[in-house]
Amino acid sequence: MRYRKNEIIEIDIDDLGNEGEGIGHLDGYTLFIKGALPGERVRAGIMKAGKSYGYARLLEVIKKSDERIEPLCPAAGKCGGCALQHLSYREQLRFKQKKVIDCLERIGGVNCEEAEVFPIIGMETPWHYRNKAQFPVRAGKDGKAEAGIYAGRTHSVIPVTDCMIQDEVTKQVLERFLEFMERGKVSAYDERSHTGKVRHVFIRKGFMTGEVMVCLVVNEPAERFRKSYGKRMTESFGKVDGIVSIQVNENQEKTNVIMGRKYLTVWGKEHIEDIIGNMRYLISGESFYQVNAEQTVILYKKVLEFAGLKEGGCVWDLYCGIGTISLFLAAAVGESGEVVGVEIVRKAIEDAKRNAALNGIKNVRFICGAAEDIGKTRRADVVVVDPPRKGCDEEVLKVIGEVKAQKVVYVSCNPGTLGRDVKILGEMGYDVKKVQGVDMFPWTGHVEIVVLLTTANR
Ligand code: SAH
């Protein structure tokens, strides 16, 4: 049966979708309803109806889930950042565990009874955990600049200065930022007309060192912006606790991509520094760095544990970023072993090389290029992959099989593509042995997973 727009329905919710939305079924028809929870009966208005599934707006919760809680953040429900602030943390973890198992079984064809599936590791205090923020900037109704977070699936900006999952320094930065915009009479970007100067505020903090970077993404040549506003930026952001780097990033494209290619230092260093375990890292604005510092330590420990490296081993770290995991792997195989890190972003590879030197690690080589181009010339006993959400290129998986790696440690932020890739690896003789979920993104539907695959016949 197909529904009409604005039709009001009553429905039981039986699942949560990838983005934390409630899912219900009516006579074989699937409806996605943001804010509704499994176990609830709700009244909802149809917004968009396709042939077999549609979207509805939650109007009333008729029967409430026992796991429903009052969100702590006043912007919850409107803001697109946290999709699950109305669900108890314990239940979020249960949902994420179930999602990982479902994807491995349904998409990956894995028998999760045979593999060791460990309970997901959550956070003790799941607040203010993010070390990176990218706030869009718009002109508010009174013409004054506002910074905030996109409302779910739209580009309207919900003003937020006090985000509950960001580090507290973001509040300070945003207050300084709004003052900078007003006093300097700097215009906010307007997406429709592609006019106005400041598009985004980017903030990154090293949790262990306290070092902070602030970067403004601007819609004009970076040099011009620095010339006009550099001094004022330094005055405003120079007072932020821990500030070591003030940057401008140029993005004049009509695009949803936040950062442009060009960075310019206005004041201070080009990097921030941070510490994970016993390693120090330099991180530039354009390099990837895990957003949840506390859980990253746990995640990397699991990677090492699953890899079970021996002295003298050869390891690939594909999608290595700034070499965070590579350096731990290199330390584990000792000087007679070798690690090869591959990463597509040039700046990240530069950071990775500097990080190896900074930590006195010599048995690691970093290659700038696509993981799928690594080729079969090098030996690998163990391969670690940590791809973006779209998963590994099929070529990468093929090469892993061809070089006869004994173990694959797959780090994934997307259970769907993990399932797909594990299936391909399965066809090449790799079996899933261990599965560990780590909650890097509390209050969102996202989950991080580490999987160990081994091959019996090699
Ligand atoms: N292992 C790192 C980074 C993981 S994020 C860490 O834990 O910090 C994924 C990384 O893959 C990003 O740095 C991204 O730039 C890189 N990447 C994306 N596509 C790639 C490709 N085709 N080949 C190699 N690296 C790629």
Side-chain angles (χ1 to χ4, degrees):
M1 178 164 137
R2 206 180 148 146
Y3 293 89
R4 287 180 321 273
K5 195 172 168 185
N6 296 331
E7 196 174 331
I8 309 274
I9 48 139
E10 260 187 49
I11 186 169
D12 291 320
I13 305 298
D14 48 41
D15 203 358
L16 281 176
N18 286 341
E19 300 302 325
E21 68 280 41
I23 300 179
H25 297 90
L26 275 182
D27 304 324
Y29 191 86
T30 306
L31 276 166
F32 294 91
I33 306 169
K34 203 180 140 197
L37 292 174
E40 292 190 331
R41 184 165 182 81
V42 302
R43 213 158 60 84
I46 304 286
M47 296 191 298
K48 215 168 141 187
K51 233 183 184 165
S52 56
Y53 68 91
Y55 298 90
R57 178 175 293 115
L58 179 64
L59 298 173
E60 186 193 346
V61 179
I62 299 165
K63 189 184 134 227
K64 217 160 128 181
S65 158
D66 293 341
E67 301 295 337
R68 180 175 281 277
I69 57 168
E70 203 51 50
L72 274 191
C73 176
K78 289 178 261 137
C79 164
C82 296
L84 288 174
Q85 280 223 3
H86 56 294
L87 180 61
S88 73
Y89 188 53
R90 186 188 57 182
E91 194 59 15
Q92 285 171 49
L93 293 177
R94 213 184 59 80
F95 153 69
K96 290 180 187 187
Q97 182 82 356
K98 177 172 162 290
K99 187 154 92 172
V100 171
I101 295 174
D102 275 0
C103 287
L104 286 172
E105 289 189 335
R106 274 191 309 109
I107 311 171
V110 175
N111 182 344
C112 282
E113 302 278 295
E114 277 174 16
E116 264 185 282
V117 181
F118 301 102
I120 183 167
I121 302 171
M123 296 187 78
E124 203 128 296
T125 313
W127 300 107
H128 300 292
Y129 60 81
R130 283 186 63 99
N131 60 16
K132 181 181 114 172
Q134 288 164 314
F135 293 105
V137 180
R138 297 285 179 274
K141 286 204 180 78
D142 55 2
K144 280 189 186 167
E146 286 177 351
I149 301 177
Y150 289 125
R153 290 185 200 281
T154 76
H155 266 199
S156 52
V157 172
I158 310 285
V160 177
T161 46
D162 211 353
C163 174
M164 302 284 303
I165 60 169
Q166 289 293 349
D167 184 82
E168 268 110 355
V169 80
T170 53
K171 182 166 185 250
Q172 254 187 67
V173 174
L174 288 177
E175 282 167 4
R176 297 260 165 234
F177 170 71
L178 297 177
E179 197 184 276
F180 160 81
M181 294 293 277
E182 194 175 345
R183 291 208 186 138
K185 299 194 172 46
V186 192
S187 56
Y189 182 63
D190 179 62
E191 212 167 47
R192 261 178 248 145
S193 61
H194 191 52
T195 56
K197 290 198 162 90
V198 183
R199 301 173 71 133
H200 274 85
V201 185
F202 171 98
I203 307 163
R204 184 171 254 173
K205 176 172 173 176
F207 270 26
M208 292 302 288
T209 56
E211 292 194 357
V212 173
M213 171 188 285
V214 175
C215 176
L216 298 187
V217 184
V218 301
N219 180 34
E220 68 172 26
E223 286 91 356
R224 196 200 297 169
F225 193 87
R226 179 170 67 175
K227 213 166 152 208
S228 325
Y229 302 105
K231 195 161 162 266
R232 206 175 265 281
M233 276 177 82
T234 307
E235 274 165 22
S236 296
F237 299 121
K239 294 182 204 128
V240 169
D241 291 340
I243 190 85
V244 296
S245 174
I246 302 176
Q247 309 258 336
V248 174
N249 173 273
E250 175 180 329
N251 186 355
Q252 298 195 75
E253 303 292 314
K254 277 189 179 169
T255 169
N256 285 342
V257 178
I258 296 176
M259 309 301 286
R261 289 223 171 141
K262 185 165 182 183
Y263 286 78
L264 214 58
T265 304
V266 172
W267 175 89
K269 306 193 284 187
E270 200 185 321
H271 298 94
I272 59 162
E273 206 170 310
D274 201 16
I275 300 168
I276 305 176
N278 55 353
M279 302 281 177
R280 299 185 80 84
Y281 297 95
L282 294 174
I283 311 144
S284 52
E286 58 199 293
S287 297
F288 176 90
Y289 188 58
Q290 297 286 354
V291 295
N292 184 329
E294 190 180 326
Q295 295 296 84
T296 298
V297 179
I298 296 168
L299 180 77
Y300 289 176
K301 270 198 187 138
K302 283 289 158 195
V303 172
L304 272 182
E305 185 189 311
F306 283 9
L309 298 173
K310 295 193 193 85
E311 284 276 321
C314 289
V315 189
W316 292 354
D317 182 16
L318 306 182
Y319 310 89
C320 70
I322 60 168
T324 36
I325 299 177
S326 322
L327 299 193
F328 286 109
L329 299 170
V333 293
E335 291 197 351
S336 56
E338 190 196 42
V339 174
V340 178
V342 182
E343 159 64 43
I344 207 158
V345 173
R346 184 162 298 279
K347 190 78 187 175
I349 283 290
E350 284 172 23
D351 288 356
K353 286 181 179 165
R354 264 185 250 183
N355 289 333
L358 186 69
N359 292 283
I361 290 190
K362 299 198 179 73
N363 57 331
V364 58
R365 269 191 301 146
F366 288 107
I367 300 172
C368 182
E372 46 275 28
D373 295 335
I374 182 162
K376 298 170 263 185
T377 47
R378 294 160 209 279
R379 215 184 100 205
D381 307 314
V382 178
V383 177
V384 176
V385 295
D386 184 5
R389 289 187 65 76
K390 68 173 193 244
C392 290
D393 190 286
E394 204 170 330
E395 190 59 31
V396 171
L397 304 173
K398 229 171 84 193
V399 174
I400 292 173
E402 284 169 6
V403 297
K404 300 185 175 24
Q406 293 139 21
K407 290 183 193 169
V408 178
V409 181
Y410 195 133
V411 186
S412 164
C413 55
N414 182 345
T417 53
L418 172 70
R420 179 199 69 198
D421 290 352
V422 154
K423 185 163 179 69
I424 298 171
L425 286 167
E427 285 155 8
M428 299 191 309
Y430 290 92
D431 295 324
V432 170
K433 293 284 184 221
K434 295 182 182 184
V435 179
Q436 176 71 67
V438 180
D439 190 24
M440 304 280 270
F441 317 104
W443 315 104
T444 77
H446 295 234
V447 57
E448 192 86 8
I449 314 122
V450 194
V451 172
L452 169 69
L453 301 105
T454 62
T455 170
N457 48 12
R458 280 176 189 145

